[in-house]
């Protein structure tokens, strides 16, 4: 076990040691430690500068990527704007070029005004507000000294933070649990304020001073029960915002890290700097005994390396080894982590100090096992992305609206998960963080607009590029988050501003288009009712979503055809995943030619291939134009990780375009199926020949080609009925050839020995469709010609092999 101290990355900086409220549950003033009485009321310039230098020195020495600092108190707003500005400037200056600074302030909100908000916007200081629920709940504790309610002033502060100009600063709400309050009413009151996050705290208590209970409490685990009712309400509402305690339980149950020091086994990397410069442990220790947080260290004398090595800090960095025997043997210890360190305190002999279970032990176990059991039940009863009937429908080669819509919803879920991974694994900058928080708000208030953007087919190639790493991954991640947020804001028709870094002189707005902005580092996108403005340096562009007088705006062309809405994607740089050269931005004339071709092709599909039309309309939203072949060959492609898009070089006839659309959409459908169903053994390394290719293919390649050719068979089946003269004869030969070769490929798949049981069922359904086509009579000469062509192809392939 590595016993070396962990570097510190999280700091609470006390800028004022008094408060304008008299909350009777406050750990600073109402518990055992009363050291506040001897502290300076306001932090000095000297201590601020020393603290900033110490943090920067520590961050540089340990090569930290990010440092988190919370301005705290007492009530930090009492320090005034000038003192807070000095704190922000000192920290920002000291850490410039060293690491990212995540600067926050936690306040009761009663004196928050626009002057403070402007300061916080200038330094990107995120604001957390304390609120215990509705007025009745909040008034149980959070009152002025004369007994007046603080509730109305806190709501005024939250309304201020929810203005478009400041919304990105709103970090969330902190609520202390009181069993006298109804948990559902508390949750509803907080959720109604649409915060990006809620943090529920257990009231600080120890074995010497147990948590309050009330006459109506009959449960052995009242706090666990209270929080489970919050969990159920939150889950029933679709988990519209983060709830740090509940999210931490869910994360630790999956083996991920906790979001709070109150749960999990991750080492604590946390220190407090008091107004006099004293270095202390977590404030929660003030509930244990007088002097409990003290270390005897000071920023003027001691480095943060010395603070990190203090026994009180290292005691909380030992994981399981730092817990008592009872905790180590507990089945939920990896989620609980022994609970908050301060809550373990017991002065009694034999179990003195902090080597005890939490005073909330039973409640935490009730909460964790309750959430675990609910998650297991949810998973066991959750509907699979595809029902058996839908899977059979798609396996036959088709798939109606509902079946394909289910695939689309699952692919959206995958995109959301990928976006979350990108965010959590990428280094954050201020612009990206502000955008992410705005996106979280939009997701709660306008989820349909966020879904529309996150369903963009080329989100996944961007995410995969970021996750593969490389020197440009971090900036690309933050730029992509800002682009997605700006697009969601505009689609929602919300007022607000998102700062977006630009690349290659183009501002990308996924699903909307792009704006050519030239050589500039960033653009500020401001949503308005009828459109938006983009400010780049001194220049401002004002455009509607669909068009603009300025030629720099390239809106994505979207065509509303009867029963099908489809867009041409010729602006997104991440569309370059299809393996063929792309067109540049299409001219208005070329775009209109595409509209005409797609309209005719779609009419043909609806009339001649009606079994394919509903699924295509439900799942194909984007056509990406490719550069046409100089040799006149038809070119088309579908990317495995771009659900909803196909790429096509515009062919000469609408019938050929119809063929390319249904053919490539088969690949799109099957790719999505393979995301939800295991059809073959992924360890199979054998290669298999397809009758139509000279080169052997991996099993998935053969499966993809065979499935796509079901649509090709049906295309030529339709063409032989509708084509004139010699074209009908050619169509009959092609129909005869493709049905036999596709049937042969089905036999190869079934005989591969690498399909799962579900895969065998899927391929058998494919084979049944092809077998039905084999029963249709074909002219003998056409059949002979088709077989001769197939033999010649095989001979040519063998010669090349």
């Amino acid at each position: 076990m590595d016993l070396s101290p962990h570097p510190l990355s999280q700091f609470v900086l006390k800028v004022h040691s008094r408060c304008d409220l008299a909350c009777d549950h406050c750990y600073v003033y109402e518990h055992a430690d009363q050291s506040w009485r001897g502290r300076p009321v306001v932090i000095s310039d000297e201590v601020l500068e020393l603290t900033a230098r110490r943090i920067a020195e520590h961050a540089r020495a340990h090569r930290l990527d990010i440092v988190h600092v919370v301005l705290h108190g007492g009530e930090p707003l009492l320090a005034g704007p000038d003192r807070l500005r000095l704190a922000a400037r000192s920290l920002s200056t000291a850490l410039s070029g060293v690491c990212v600074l995540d600067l926050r302030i936690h306040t009761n909100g009663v004196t928050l005004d626009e002057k403070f908000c402007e300061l916080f916007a200038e330094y990107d200081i995120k604001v957390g507000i304390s609120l215990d629920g509705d007025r009745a709940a909040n008034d149980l504790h959070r009152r002025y000294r004369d007994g007046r309610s603080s509730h109305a002033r806190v709501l005024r502060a939250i309304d201020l933070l929810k203005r478009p100009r400041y919304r990105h600063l709103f970090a969330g709400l902190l609520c202390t649990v009181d069993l006298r309050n109804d948990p559902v009413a508390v949750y509803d009151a907080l959720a109604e304020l649409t915060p990006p996050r809620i943090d529920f705290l257990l009231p600080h208590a120890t074995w010497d001073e147990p948590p309050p209970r009330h006459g109506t409490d009959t449960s052995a685990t009242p706090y666990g029960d209270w929080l489970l009712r919050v969990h159920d309400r939150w889950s029933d509402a679709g988990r519209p915002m983060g709830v740090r305690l509940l999210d931490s339980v869910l994360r630790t149950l999956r083996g991920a890290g906790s979001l709070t020091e109150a749960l999990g086994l991750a080492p604590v990397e946390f220190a407090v700097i008091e107004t006099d410069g004293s270095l202390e442990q977590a404030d929660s220790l003030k509930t244990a005994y007088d002097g409990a947080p003290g270390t005897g260290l000071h920023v003027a004398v001691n480095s943060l390396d010395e603070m990190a090595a203090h026994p009180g800090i290292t005691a909380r960095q030992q994981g399981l080894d730092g817990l008592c025997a009872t905790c180590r043997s507990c089945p939920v210890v990896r989620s609980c982590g022994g609970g908050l360190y301060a809550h373990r305190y017991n002065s009694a002999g034999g179990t003195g100090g902090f080597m005890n279970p939490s005073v909330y032990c039973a409640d935490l176990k009730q909460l964790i096992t309750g959430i675990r059991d609910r998650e297991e039940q949810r998973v066991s009863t959750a509907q699979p992305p595809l029902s058996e009937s839908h899977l059979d429908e798609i396996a036959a080669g088709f798939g109606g609206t509902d079946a394909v819509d289910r695939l689309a919803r699952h692919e959206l879920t995958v995109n959301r998960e990928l976006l979350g991974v990108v965010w959590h694994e990428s280094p954050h900058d201020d612009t990206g963080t502000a955008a992410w928080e705005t996106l979280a708000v939009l997701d709660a208030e306008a989820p349909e607009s966020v879904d529309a953007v996150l369903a963009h087919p080329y989100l996944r190639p961007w995410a995969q590029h970021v996750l593969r790493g490389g020197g440009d991954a971090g900036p690309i991640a933050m730029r992509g988050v800002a682009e997605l947020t700006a697009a969601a804001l505009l689609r929602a028709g919300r007022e607000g501003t998102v700062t977006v870094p630009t690349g290659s002189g183009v501002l990308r707005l996924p699903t909307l288009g792009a704006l050519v902005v030239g050589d500039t580092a960033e653009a500020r996108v401001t949503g308005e009712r009828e459109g938006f403005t983009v400010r780049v340096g001194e220049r401002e562009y004002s455009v509607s979503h669909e068009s603009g007088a300025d030629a720099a705006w390239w809106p994505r062309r979207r065509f509303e055809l009867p029963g099908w809405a489809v867009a041409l994607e010729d602006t997104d740089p991440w569309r370059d995943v299809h393996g063929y050269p792309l067109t540049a931005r299409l001219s208005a004339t070329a775009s209109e030619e595409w509209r005409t071709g797609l309209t005719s092709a779609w009419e043909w599909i609806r009339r001649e291939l009606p079994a394919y039309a509903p699924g295509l309309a439900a799942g194909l939203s984007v056509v990406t134009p490719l550069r046409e072949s100089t040799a006149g060959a038809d070119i088309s492609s579908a990317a495995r990780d771009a659900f909803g898009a196909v790429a096509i070089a515009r062919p000469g006839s609408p019938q050929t375009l119809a063929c390319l659309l249904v053919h490539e959409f088969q690949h799109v459908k099957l790719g999505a199926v393979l995301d939800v169903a295991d059809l073959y053994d992924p360890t199979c390394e054998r290669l298999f020949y397809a009758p139509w290719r000279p080169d052997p293919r991996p099993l998935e390649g053969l499966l993809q080609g065979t499935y796509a050719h079901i649509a090709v068979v049906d295309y030529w089946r339709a063409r032989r009925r509708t084509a004139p003269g010699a074209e009908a004869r050619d169509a009959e030969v092609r129909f005869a050839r493709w049905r036999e070769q596709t049937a042969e490929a089905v036999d190869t798949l079934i005989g591969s020995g690498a399909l799962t049981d579900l895969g065998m069922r899927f391929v058998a359904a494919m084979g049944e469709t092809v077998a039905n086509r084999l029963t249709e009579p074909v002219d003998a000469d056409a059949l002979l010609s088709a077989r001769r062509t197939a033999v010649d192809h095989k001979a040519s392939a063998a010669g090349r092999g």
Side-chain angles (χ1 to χ4, degrees), residues 453-515:
V453 174
L454 299 191
H456 180 47
Y458 299 116
L459 181 148
R460 202 174 301 183
W462 160 76
Q464 290 171 335
H465 175 90
V466 170
L467 295 175
R468 283 194 294 269
D472 62 348
I476 286 176
M478 294 302 100
R479 181 164 70 241
V481 167
E483 291 168 341
L484 293 166
T485 302
L489 178 77
L490 301 181
R491 292 188 72 100
R494 298 297 181 94
E495 295 181 355
T497 297
V498 180
T499 300
V500 185
T502 54
S504 304
V506 175
L507 169 65
R508 165 183 175 257
L509 293 171
T511 75
L512 295 176
L515 184 71

Side-chain angles (χ1 to χ4, degrees), residues 56-110:
E57 170 189 272
H58 191 69
R60 185 180 292 107
H62 295 281
R63 298 182 179 180
L64 299 182
D65 294 324
I66 187 169
V67 162
H68 307 269
V69 180
V70 180
L71 305 177
H72 214 281
E75 169 49 47
L77 295 186
L78 293 179
D82 291 343
R83 183 68 43 178
L84 295 177
R85 180 183 300 278
L86 178 61
R89 186 170 62 238
S90 299
L91 290 162
S92 299
T93 300
L95 289 166
S96 177
V98 178
C99 69
V100 173
L101 169 63
D102 173 26
L103 187 56
R104 297 173 181 256
I105 190 166
H106 194 89
T107 172
N108 58 37
V110 297

Side-chain angles (χ1 to χ4, degrees), residues 668-679:
V668 172
K669 280 189 294 184
L670 184 57
V673 168
L674 291 172
D675 282 344
V676 303
D678 295 324
L679 301 185

Side-chain angles (χ1 to χ4, degrees), residues 277-280 294-303 306-308 310:
S278 296
L279 292 167
E280 294 207 338
T295 64
L297 305 177
H298 193 282
V299 290
V301 178
N302 305 102
S303 70
E306 291 176 86
M307 179 63 180
H310 186 275

